[in-house]
Amino acid sequence: QVQLVESGGGSAQAGGSLRLSCAGSGYVYSTYLMAWFRQAPGKEREWVAVMDIEGTTIYTDSVKGRFTVSKDNTKNILDLQMNNLKPEDTAMYYCAAEPYLRVVGGRPPQASRLRHWGQGTQVTVST
């Protein structure tokens, strides 16, 4: 059974940093596309970053240059380093995974195609 557990959320001031981690179990990490999504109160869920099985990594425009995703296949961990945080980054952050998906045309897969999700970790950025 695939399980994803996020950690590392918390509070930060604008301009600060946080590092989120997603620990996976029950599957071969290297064969899965991994992604970070977020959802702010009253807003739709949006994708943040995606890394596919070939290592192709994409970021949504609002976090480019500030967020970096990294993956350790030996430890089954997907990290999201978030620097220069902004109040608009405040959201619940979710890790998601799906086997054998690839990034196509520089676009992320639709969230509905990812069957495995963590419970989320809250990030709050204050001014």
Side-chain angles (χ1 to χ4, degrees):
Q1 182 178 357
V2 175
Q3 289 189 325
L4 301 172
V5 179
E6 303 95 337
S7 62
S11 299
Q13 289 191 327
S17 299
L18 286 172
R19 188 177 184 89
L20 306 184
S21 290
C22 173
S25 62
Y27 64 103
V28 180
Y29 219 63
S30 62
T31 63
Y32 275 60
L33 175 145
M34 304 294 298
W36 285 99
F37 284 75
R38 66 186 180 186
Q39 187 167 18
K43 295 187 177 181
E44 293 187 355
R45 180 175 52 188
E46 64 172 349
W47 74 282
V48 176
V50 175
M51 178 182 286
D52 73 8
I53 63 174
E54 295 178 340
T56 300
T57 306
I58 56 174
Y59 301 90
T60 195
D61 286 345
S62 63
V63 308
K64 284 180 180 177
R66 300 189 298 121
F67 290 12
T68 303
V69 66
S70 59
K71 187 180 178 188
D72 187 335
N73 288 330
T74 63
K75 298 180 179 179
N76 285 7
I77 291 177
L78 179 78
D79 285 340
L80 181 68
Q81 177 66 42
M82 306 186 295
N83 297 328
N84 191 21
L85 284 163
K86 302 178 179 181
E88 51 264 42
D89 294 321
T90 295
M92 184 72 78
Y93 284 71
Y94 298 91
C95 175
E98 181 65 28
Y100 304 114
L101 276 186
R102 287 177 169 82
V103 172
V104 178
R107 297 183 62 82
Q110 292 185 347
S112 58
R113 296 191 66 192
L114 280 69
R115 289 174 290 170
H116 308 290
W117 292 79
Q119 294 298 308
T121 186
Q122 178 68 38
V123 171
T124 303
V125 183
S126 59
T127 56

